[in-house]
Amino acid sequence: QVQLQESGPGLVKPSQTLSLTCFVSGGSISSGSLFWSWIRQHPGKGLEWIGYIYYSGTTYYNPSLKSRVTMLVDTSKNQFSLKLSSVTAADTAVYYCAREVRGLGYFDSWGQGTLVTVSS
Amino acid sequence: EIVLTQSPDFQSLTPKEKVTITCRASQSIGSSLHWYQQKPDQSPKLLIKFASQSISGVPSRFSGSGSGTDFTLTINSPEAEDAAAYYCHQSSSLPYTFGQGTKLEIK
């Protein structure tokens, strides 16, 4: 049973870069049949898909965040990461990592989520 | 970007009384519509895939229907534990998008 676990600072200052990592256990991140996504949820609000990364490093970012997002994959550590630059209070949210079976589009495994607050 | 609009935003849930949540897409998405349940302080859980396909381990009282632009999640004889937020999600085209959510509370 695959498990995903987010980690990273819970507090980031405005204008700085938010950095999170998702560690995958119980399965290989290098499986050619999987995409790895980041999704966020503003407090008390709905879900927003940030983008995905493939084990090869291929990415797709949501155009609404594309100019500020970078995703990387480290197959040797079985993890992938998210960097969001120039953050503001509007980036305060719970950030989830999730797994998608390539070509199917739905998220069948999620991390527990990590709250990131942007504040000075 | 495809916009998904759910209704209602909020509903009181009476145990054993059928619940229906709808999700309307701004353009046709075929059957590329999935449903998730999110309980407080938990991550979303996949309930239904491709509009109507069941997920192993999900109670049979949850079912989905629809195609094109109009979709429905039905909870037959809901139980108190079904109080949660429910989200639809489309994977027909990038970027993936979600509905705004429907919150079900116990009456």
Side-chain angles (χ1 to χ4, degrees):
Chain A
Q1 179 79 351
V2 69
Q3 291 189 323
L4 292 81
Q5 176 75 53
E6 304 90 348
S7 63
L11 181 64
V12 181
K13 288 181 168 46
S15 80
Q16 293 190 343
T17 296
L18 176 161
S19 296
L20 296 174
T21 297
C22 180
F23 176 70
V24 179
S25 59
S28 173
I29 201 170
S30 299
S31 169
S33 63
L34 301 171
F35 285 152
W36 305 94
S37 279
W38 288 97
I39 298 160
R40 70 181 183 178
Q41 185 170 34
H42 295 103
K45 302 294 185 183
L47 300 160
E48 178 182 25
W49 181 70
I50 300 170
Y52 69 54
I53 188 165
Y54 190 51
Y55 81 97
S56 63
T58 299
T59 56
Y60 182 93
Y61 304 143
N62 192 322
S64 67
L65 295 167
K66 185 177 181 179
S67 64
R68 299 194 291 130
V69 170
T70 302
M71 293 183 187
L72 298 172
V73 63
D74 186 337
T75 55
S76 67
K77 294 182 179 179
N78 222 40
Q79 64 188 35
F80 60 106
S81 63
L82 168 71
K83 293 187 185 299
L84 182 65
S85 64
S86 305
V87 297
T88 69
D91 294 309
T92 294
V94 174
Y95 287 76
Y96 296 99
C97 55
R99 185 184 83 164
E100 173 203 340
V101 177
R102 183 183 179 192
L104 297 186
Y106 56 82
F107 305 109
D108 64 346
S109 293
W110 296 66
Q112 86 284 0
T114 186
L115 173 64
V116 178
T117 301
V118 179
S119 175
S120 55
Chain B
E1 172 175 313
I2 295 174
V3 177
L4 298 179
T5 303
Q6 291 182 227
S7 62
D9 291 331
F10 176 88
Q11 184 168 344
S12 291
L13 182 158
T14 301
K16 307 304 182 186
E17 190 173 291
K18 186 172 77 173
V19 169
T20 298
I21 300 170
T22 65
C23 178
R24 174 164 289 178
S26 58
Q27 63 190 75
S28 179
I29 58 173
S31 295
S32 297
L33 189 285
H34 321 291
W35 291 97
Y36 301 84
Q37 175 193 65
Q38 185 180 32
K39 295 184 177 180
D41 298 321
Q42 294 186 17
S43 54
K45 169 190 170 184
L46 181 66
L47 277 184
I48 298 287
K49 61 182 180 179
F50 294 111
S52 61
Q53 295 181 17
S54 59
I55 301 297
S56 174
V58 173
S60 59
R61 61 182 179 273
F62 291 94
S63 63
S65 64
S67 66
T69 60
D70 293 301
F71 301 86
T72 300
L73 174 69
T74 300
I75 312 175
N76 283 298
S77 294
E79 301 183 4
E81 66 182 27
D82 300 333
Y86 293 82
Y87 295 93
C88 56
H89 154 229
Q90 69 81 22
S91 62
S92 174
S93 68
L94 295 172
Y96 297 149
T97 50
F98 292 87
Q100 82 278 14
T102 295
K103 187 175 183 181
L104 298 185
E105 280 194 352
I106 297 294
K107 183 177 288 186

